[in-house]
């Protein structure tokens, strides 16, 4: 390891000497640091693809895939409050196969993941977690390929089954509905009447105890409401990605290409984004079939 470090320092010293009239040593070393970090990100992506956790690359020419891949941009932000922001670009540099498909320079996947550490208190309806993948070719405009947004009541997933907001029926999310408001008003009226007709002791004990008992079930229900999510994939954009990169023939089916996209390590796994996308794109699992299997 010592000899390796000495070799790195010697190479850096030579680089500084060769470009001493172009940039200051600090500026050159900052550029070296940035390029080294991006090279490391590229290798991390390749390691993830080599691991193939979803076994979606068995029929893929992985050697060609590794040669195409490069990470030209990546930023990661984490805070003590739990906020996380990951933005990255994975570039597929055009080879002969891609050029025959009309790609002149490159195809790029733009990844963006964001998790809010604290629930917004300004009344905004921002998602707790959001993850997007956009597609572009030859430095052209981006188009949305994949998306998932999770709305949670806390900073961790609920222990109740999540609900697809696109499938939710009208009125399903009415925990704070008008009916509940009317019930609260009735309780307040009853409480006021008992206070006016009762004694001081009743004011302090009986009404408060009654109100607490009446709201116990509602409090327990609201402690851990189910998460809500919106997710999807644009099949036309996915087809363009597979065509432009000449990877379409290597993917067995749509599920394999979906798993390929989710192999890139630019999202966190605390919230079950993969499961939400699978349900939204391929449908919820057959519960009766699962019960029969068990």
């Amino acid at each position: 390891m010592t000899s390796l470090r000495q070799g790195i320092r010697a190479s850096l010293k030579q680089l500084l000497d060769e470009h001493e009239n172009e940039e200051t040593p600090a500026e050159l070393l900052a550029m070296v640091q940035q390029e080294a970090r991006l090279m490391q990100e590229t290798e991390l992506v390749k390691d993830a693809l080599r691991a193939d956790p979803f076994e979606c690359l068995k029929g893929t020419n992985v050697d060609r895939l590794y040669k195409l891949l490069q990470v030209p941009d990546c930023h990661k932000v984490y805070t003590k409050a739990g906020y996380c922001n990951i933005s990255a670009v994975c570039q597929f540099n055009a080879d002969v196969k891609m050029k025959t498909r009309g790609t002149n320079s490159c195809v790029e996947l733009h990844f963006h993941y964001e998790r809010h550490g604290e629930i917004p208190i300004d009344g905004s309806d921002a998602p707790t977690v959001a993850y997007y993948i956009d597609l572009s070719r030859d430095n052209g405009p981006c188009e949305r390929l994949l998306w998932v947004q999770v709305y949670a009541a806390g900073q961790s997933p609920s222990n109740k089954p999540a609900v697809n907001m696109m499938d939710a029926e009208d009125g399903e999310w009415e925990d704070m509905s008008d009916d509940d408001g009317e019930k609260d008003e009735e309780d307040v009226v009853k409480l006021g009447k008992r206070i006016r007709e009762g004694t001081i002791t009743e004011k302090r004990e009986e009404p408060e105890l009654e109100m607490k008992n009446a709201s116990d079930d509602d409090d327990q229900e609201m402690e851990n409401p189910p998460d809500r999510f919106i997710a999807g994939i644009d099949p036309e954009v996915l087809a363009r990605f597979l065509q432009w990169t000449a990877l379409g023939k290597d993917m067995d089916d749509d599920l394999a290409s979906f798993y390929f996209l989710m192999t890139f390590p630019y999202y966190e796994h605390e919230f079950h984004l993969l499961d939400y996308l699978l349900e939204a794109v391929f449908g919820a699992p057959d519960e009766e079939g699962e019960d029969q299997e068990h």
Side-chain angles (χ1 to χ4, degrees):
M1 183 63 69
T2 302
S3 60
L4 177 60
R5 287 183 175 275
Q6 290 175 347
I8 293 173
R9 288 174 183 152
S11 298
L12 290 174
K13 179 65 169 59
Q14 181 180 355
L15 180 67
L16 293 176
D17 292 340
E18 292 175 353
H19 299 274
E20 61 180 350
N21 296 325
E22 300 175 19
E23 304 286 347
T24 66
E27 290 172 338
L28 282 171
L29 290 174
M31 293 173 61
V32 170
Q33 183 181 30
Q34 181 181 19
E35 290 302 319
R37 182 176 60 82
L38 293 175
M39 289 178 67
Q40 181 186 30
E41 286 294 335
T42 301
E43 293 304 317
L44 290 174
V45 171
K46 292 179 181 179
D47 288 346
L49 295 175
R50 288 189 186 98
D52 193 14
F54 305 116
E55 299 183 353
C56 60
L57 298 174
K58 290 184 176 181
T60 304
N61 184 348
V62 291
D63 291 333
R64 171 179 177 262
L65 185 58
Y66 299 153
K67 292 178 181 178
L68 298 178
L69 271 173
Q70 179 185 0
V71 179
D73 188 39
C74 183
H75 300 279
K76 299 179 181 180
V77 176
Y78 299 90
T79 70
K80 293 181 179 180
Y83 177 79
C84 173
N85 189 306
I86 302 174
S87 295
V89 177
C90 280
Q91 187 171 283
F92 299 78
N93 295 307
D95 61 359
V96 175
K97 283 187 176 182
M98 292 175 63
K99 290 180 178 178
T100 59
R101 305 293 181 92
T103 301
N104 297 319
S105 175
C106 64
V107 172
E108 292 181 332
L109 291 177
H110 303 254
F111 300 86
H112 182 71
Y113 172 88
E114 186 174 31
R115 184 194 67 221
H116 291 279
E118 298 178 353
I119 304 302
I121 59 176
D122 58 358
S124 63
D125 195 24
T128 310
V129 174
Y131 183 53
Y132 309 104
I133 302 179
D134 295 334
L135 173 69
S136 68
R137 179 171 70 160
D138 295 335
N139 301 312
C142 290
E143 48 187 344
R144 182 69 26 104
L145 169 56
L146 176 150
W147 61 92
V148 55
Q149 296 178 337
V150 181
Y151 297 82
Q155 298 182 32
S156 58
S158 170
N159 57 14
K160 296 181 180 180
V163 175
N164 187 345
M165 294 172 66
M166 300 301 294
D167 294 340
E169 298 179 357
D170 293 339
E172 183 172 347
W173 291 97
E174 293 184 352
D175 295 329
M176 301 298 291
S177 64
D178 293 336
D179 292 340
D180 293 334
E182 293 175 0
K183 183 178 182 299
D184 292 339
E185 291 179 4
E186 293 174 0
D187 291 336
V188 171
V189 171
K190 292 178 181 179
L191 176 59
K193 183 177 180 181
R194 295 197 60 175
I195 290 176
R196 289 192 299 271
E197 297 176 351
T199 64
I200 297 297
T201 302
E202 287 176 333
K203 294 178 189 177
R204 292 179 178 176
E205 296 180 3
E206 283 189 36
E208 291 182 359
L209 182 60
E210 182 178 339
M211 287 295 294
K212 181 178 178 181
N213 292 335
S215 62
D216 277 349
D217 294 339
D218 293 338
D219 290 342
Q220 292 177 0
E221 181 68 21
M222 292 300 294
E223 280 180 359
N224 191 21
D227 299 334
R228 300 170 293 159
F229 70 90
I230 299 174
I233 294 178
D234 190 321
E236 295 182 357
V237 178
L238 176 59
R240 281 195 285 276
F241 167 71
L242 296 175
Q243 178 184 1
W244 292 346
T245 56
L247 291 173
K249 293 183 178 180
D250 295 336
M251 301 293 170
D252 294 335
D253 50 29
D254 293 339
L255 187 59
S257 57
F258 163 77
Y259 278 131
F260 172 68
L261 293 174
M262 298 304 291
T263 301
F264 288 84
Y266 294 119
Y267 65 98
E268 296 192 333
H269 298 268
E270 181 181 8
F271 286 86
H272 310 294
L273 305 188
L274 179 64
D275 294 338
Y276 299 159
L277 278 160
L278 282 172
E279 178 178 338
V281 177
F282 299 99
D286 186 352
E287 295 181 359
E288 294 182 0
E290 288 183 352
D291 293 339
Q292 292 176 359
E293 289 179 3
H294 293 292

